[in-house]
Each structure stands twice: as structure tokens, then as C-alpha cells.
Amino acid sequence: MSVKNVVKVMNFHALLRVDKARKKAAMYFKTEDELFKLVNKIMFNHNIILDKKGIIPDKDKPKLSIYIGNDLGFCGDFNSQINRRVKADTNDIIAIGNKILLSSDNKVVLRQSKEEFFKDFKKVEQFIYDAIRNNNYALALDYIK
């Protein structure tokens, strides 16, 4: 067998691994979208707000940033963009993903790996629910994709 044939077979297998990683990453993006929709529905439910039972965010309260990184390979650029934002962030932070780099300056209120996030999503959900119910944070939805 020639070296060219071996290289072709190796390249083919590498493409299969990239495709598999891309499909798995797409699943994480769906979770991120659902999390954003959940918070958006709770905070902007006009029927509840008009009924005077809604939660009106206090703009003077601190903000909460939720960062979802990727623990998969081939996500270096994505994770580096998130890490740049985390480095400059002064808000309280929920960090999901092991490749999110946090410094001692960051105020981390919850940290989970991607694996923990999918096994125990209730922990994040409960934190967000309590934060919204107790009006702990100001409203500032900034969605970066």
C-alpha cells in the first residue's frame, strides 16, 4: 500500500470524526437556545406583567452572565471568543464547560462541566428560577451566537 493511499484513508477517518463532533456540538447549541428562550419567556411574559403579578427587574441590581462553552475538540476559536468575554466580564457568572477559563476576578456563582450540565440541568434551572423569583439580578439579555 502506498503512502498516498494511507493518507487518503486517514483523512477520510478524520472527516468522519469532525462530522461526529459537529453533530454533537449542534446538540449543545440547541440547549443554549432553549435556555435563552426559557429566561426570555419568564422575564417577558406580557400577560403576567399586565396582571401586576409579574416580576419587574430592578436595573440597579447586579447582572448575571451565563457562558456555555464547548468541551469538544475543534472548538478552539469558539471557546477563545467566550474566554475573551469572560475575562472582561464583571457580572456574576454561571460557567458551563471545562474550557471556560476563569480568573480570581470573576464572580462565579455556579460552574458545571458540559457533562454535569446535561446530567443535572435542574441545578442550573433551579438557580435561574430562584434568581428570577427573588429578583436578584437586573435584566440584560445579551445573546451571542
Side-chain angles (χ1 to χ4, degrees), residues 38-59:
L38 169 77
V39 172
N40 199 17
K41 283 179 185 176
I42 292 170
M43 296 305 291
F44 292 115
N45 188 329
H46 294 293
N47 292 333
I48 293 175
I49 292 171
L50 291 174
D51 196 23
K52 305 293 187 226
K53 294 179 184 172
I55 301 165
I56 313 258
D58 183 353
K59 293 178 183 172

Side-chain angles (χ1 to χ4, degrees), residues 41-102:
K41 283 179 185 176
I42 292 170
M43 296 305 291
F44 292 115
N45 188 329
H46 294 293
N47 292 333
I48 293 175
I49 292 171
L50 291 174
D51 196 23
K52 305 293 187 226
K53 294 179 184 172
I55 301 165
I56 313 258
D58 183 353
K59 293 178 183 172
D60 298 329
K61 299 268 178 131
K63 294 179 183 174
L64 174 67
S65 299
I66 303 171
Y67 292 99
I68 302 176
N70 277 311
D71 290 347
L72 303 173
F74 308 110
C75 298
D77 186 50
F78 177 77
N79 286 329
S80 66
Q81 286 180 31
I82 290 191
N83 285 327
R84 271 186 248 124
R85 290 192 69 107
V86 168
K87 187 176 181 181
D89 199 336
T90 58
N91 301 327
D92 289 359
I93 293 175
I94 293 177
I96 299 166
N98 289 329
K99 294 189 179 181
I100 294 179
L101 305 176
L102 300 165

Side-chain angles (χ1 to χ4, degrees), residues 6-54:
V6 171
V7 169
K8 284 181 183 178
V9 169
M10 290 175 65
N11 285 341
F12 177 72
H13 286 290
L15 286 173
L16 289 177
R17 284 192 301 273
V18 168
D19 188 52
K20 185 178 176 183
R22 182 178 287 134
K23 287 178 183 175
K24 196 167 184 181
M27 180 179 66
Y28 294 131
F29 284 123
K30 289 177 187 173
T31 303
E32 176 188 9
D33 290 341
E34 290 304 314
L35 183 62
F36 181 76
K37 288 176 189 175
L38 169 77
V39 172
N40 199 17
K41 283 179 185 176
I42 292 170
M43 296 305 291
F44 292 115
N45 188 329
H46 294 293
N47 292 333
I48 293 175
I49 292 171
L50 291 174
D51 196 23
K52 305 293 187 226
K53 294 179 184 172

